Amino acid sequence: MFGMHIRWCPNGQVLENAIGANSAQFTIGDPVVYDTDGFLIVATAGSRILGVVNESVTMAATNETVALYRVSFIQGNIYDYYEMDSSAAIAATNRSMYGDITGTTGAVQFDFATVADNTAQLRVADLDPRREDSTTRILVNIAEPEQLAHTQN
C-alpha cells in the first residue's frame, strides 16, 4: 500500500482544494504542500505536510494559468491517524519515533532510514494496525503540519 490513508480523525475531516501546479500528478493518499508559487504539489522528504489528496488526477501543462483545476485534499493535523507502509520492517522499539516520507506520487512510504527520536514529518503511533502480522504496515500522525510551520525551526 502506498500513500497515507486516513484511519481515525477525532475532530472530523476538513476538506480543502487548491490549484495544482502545472503538469503535477496526484494519487489518492499523496501528502501535499504548496510550492513557492502557491500551487499544490506532492510533498517531499522534510517538507511540512499540508494534507492528503483524496483524488487521482494529472494537471494540464497550463493548469496554473488556464485550466485552474483545484485538487481536493483532506487537511492534515497532528490529531489524525494515517495508515501507511514503511520502506523496511518496523520494530516495537520504533513506536513513537519520527521519520520522513520517501517516494513520489502514487508511491509514498514512511522512510525507515530516517527513523529518529527527534522530530521529522511523521510520528509512528502504532505497528501493524490491522493485526495481520505485518512488519511494514504502520499508523502515523503528521508531526510537522504546514499549519504549524511558524512554530518549528
Side-chain angles (χ1 to χ4, degrees):
M1 170 172 71
F2 290 109
M4 298 172 64
H5 302 276
I6 192 96
R7 287 299 170 244
W8 187 52
C9 186
N11 298 321
Q13 294 179 354
V14 177
L15 296 176
E16 292 191 31
N17 60 66
I19 297 172
N22 290 341
S23 304
Q25 180 181 353
F26 301 94
T27 302
I28 293 172
D30 284 347
V32 291
V33 297
Y34 290 121
D35 68 10
T36 55
D37 296 321
F39 297 104
L40 205 64
I41 58 172
V42 175
T44 57
S47 60
R48 309 290 189 234
I49 297 175
L50 176 65
V52 178
V53 170
N54 61 351
E55 68 176 314
S56 294
V57 62
T58 300
M59 300 295 101
T62 57
N63 194 63
E64 296 173 8
T65 56
V66 179
L68 303 176
Y69 185 86
R70 301 179 79 81
V71 180
S72 176
F73 64 94
I74 300 167
Q75 184 184 73
N77 69 64
I78 60 175
Y79 304 108
D80 296 344
Y81 290 85
Y82 300 87
E83 184 176 348
M84 68 187 307
D85 280 345
S86 172
S87 60
I90 295 279
T93 54
N94 299 128
R95 187 177 279 121
S96 291
M97 295 190 88
Y98 297 86
D100 285 335
I101 59 170
T102 186
T104 59
T105 186
V108 173
Q109 292 182 305
F110 179 86
D111 188 359
F112 182 76
T114 63
V115 169
D117 57 5
N118 54 8
T119 192
Q121 287 173 301
L122 304 171
R123 182 187 73 85
V124 178
D126 196 11
L127 313 175
D128 189 25
R130 296 184 189 188
R131 306 303 182 239
E132 299 172 332
D133 295 325
S134 172
T135 59
T136 57
R137 181 86 29 101
I138 57 176
L139 204 62
V140 299
N141 299 102
I142 296 174
E144 295 180 342
E146 179 66 30
Q147 297 85 342
L148 300 179
H150 64 282
T151 65
Q152 300 162 354
N153 294 328

